C-alpha cells in the first residue's frame, strides 16, 4: 500500500478546486493499492482555497515552531497544515504504510523542493509539512516527478 496525494489521481482537492492528474501515478492504481490523502483538506482547509506557501523556512521549521504557513492574503494557516500532516501520519501508522507518492513543490506534500514563500513560482530546498512529518516517522517519500517505472517506488 502507498499513500498518494489525492490530486495526483484526479481528486479535485487542489487549492484552485482542480487536480494534478498524473498518468504515471494512475497507472500504479492497477499495480498497487493507493490510499489517497489531501493533507490540506484533512487539516480543515476548504476547496477551493487561497494558495499558501511556507514563509522563511520549510516543513521541518514549521513542525519545530520556527516558521509559519501563510496564504497569499497574509493569513496564517499553519495550524491547518500541521493538523493535516498529523492526520496523514495517523493513516500511515494505522495502515502500516511505509511509502508515499506526494505532489512536488507543495507546502504540504513537496519533497526536496518546495515553493519559496513569495508566490512567484520560485522554489527552495526543503520538504512540505506532511512530507517532513512522514519522513520523521520512517515513511519513504517520493514525488510524482521521481517515478519513471514501478521499480522506482
Amino acid at each position: 500500500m502507498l499513500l498518494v496525494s489525492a490530486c495526483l489521481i484526479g481528486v479535485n482537492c487542489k487549492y484552485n478546486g482542480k487536480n494534478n492528474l498524473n498518468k504515471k501515478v494512475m497507472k500504479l492504481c492497477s499495480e498497487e493499492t493507493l490510499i489517497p490523502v489531501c493533507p490540506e483538506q484533512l487539516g480543515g482547509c476548504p476547496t477551493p482555497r487561497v494558495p499558501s506557501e511556507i514563509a522563511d523556512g520549510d516543513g521541518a521549521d514549521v513542525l519545530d515552531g520556527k516558521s509559519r504557513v501563510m496564504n497569499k492574503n497574509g493569513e496564517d494557516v499553519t495550524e491547518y497544515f500541521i493538523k493535516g500532516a498529523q492526520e496523514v501520519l495517523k493513516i500511515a501508522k494505522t495502515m502500516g504504510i511505509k511509502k508515499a507518492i506526494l505532489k512536488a513543490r507543495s507546502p504540504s506534500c513537496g519533497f526536496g523542493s518546495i515553493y519559496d514563500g513569495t508566490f512567484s513560482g520560485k522554489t527552495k530546498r526543503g520538504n512540505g509539512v506532511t512530507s517532513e512529518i512522514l519522513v520523521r516517522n520512517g515513511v519513504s517519500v517520493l514525488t510524482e516527478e521521481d517515478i519513471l517505472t514501478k521499480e522506482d517506488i
Side-chain angles (χ1 to χ4, degrees):
M1 278 190 286
L2 300 168
L3 284 177
V4 64
S5 292
C7 64
L8 295 175
I9 60 168
V11 176
N12 292 329
C13 57
K14 194 173 154 176
Y15 75 91
N16 61 6
K18 297 180 181 177
N19 64 67
N20 292 305
L21 182 63
N22 184 283
K23 291 179 184 177
K24 290 183 288 185
V25 176
M26 283 301 296
K27 188 173 187 292
L28 290 174
C29 286
S30 64
E31 303 167 3
E32 298 283 340
T33 301
L34 303 181
I35 307 300
V37 294
C38 177
E40 294 172 31
Q41 284 186 334
L42 287 168
C45 292
T47 301
R49 57 190 164 275
V50 177
S52 299
E53 294 186 8
I54 299 172
D56 302 319
D58 61 10
D61 295 318
V62 171
L63 291 172
D64 295 340
K66 298 176 185 174
S67 186
R68 310 298 291 167
V69 183
M70 305 297 290
N71 72 20
K72 198 169 184 177
N73 292 340
E75 300 164 321
D76 186 334
V77 292
T78 305
E79 69 181 87
Y80 300 113
F81 280 70
I82 291 173
K83 181 178 184 224
Q86 291 168 336
E87 292 300 313
V88 170
L89 179 60
K90 277 188 213 173
I91 292 167
K93 285 183 171 183
T94 299
M95 301 187 80
I97 296 172
K98 295 294 181 191
K99 291 186 179 183
I101 302 169
L102 302 178
K103 178 67 186 107
R105 297 178 296 282
S106 158
S108 290
C109 297
F111 181 73
S113 177
I114 57 173
Y115 290 113
D116 72 356
T118 64
F119 299 95
S120 64
K122 294 179 184 175
T123 59
K124 61 185 173 185
R125 292 175 61 103
N127 296 332
V129 180
T130 297
S131 289
E132 183 64 29
I133 203 169
L134 290 173
V135 168
R136 287 183 180 189
N137 286 275
V139 177
S140 174
V141 177
L142 296 169
T143 70
E144 77 283 7
E145 296 174 348
D146 300 321
I147 300 169
L148 300 174
T149 66
K150 183 180 181 307
E151 287 71 40
D152 294 324
I153 54 171

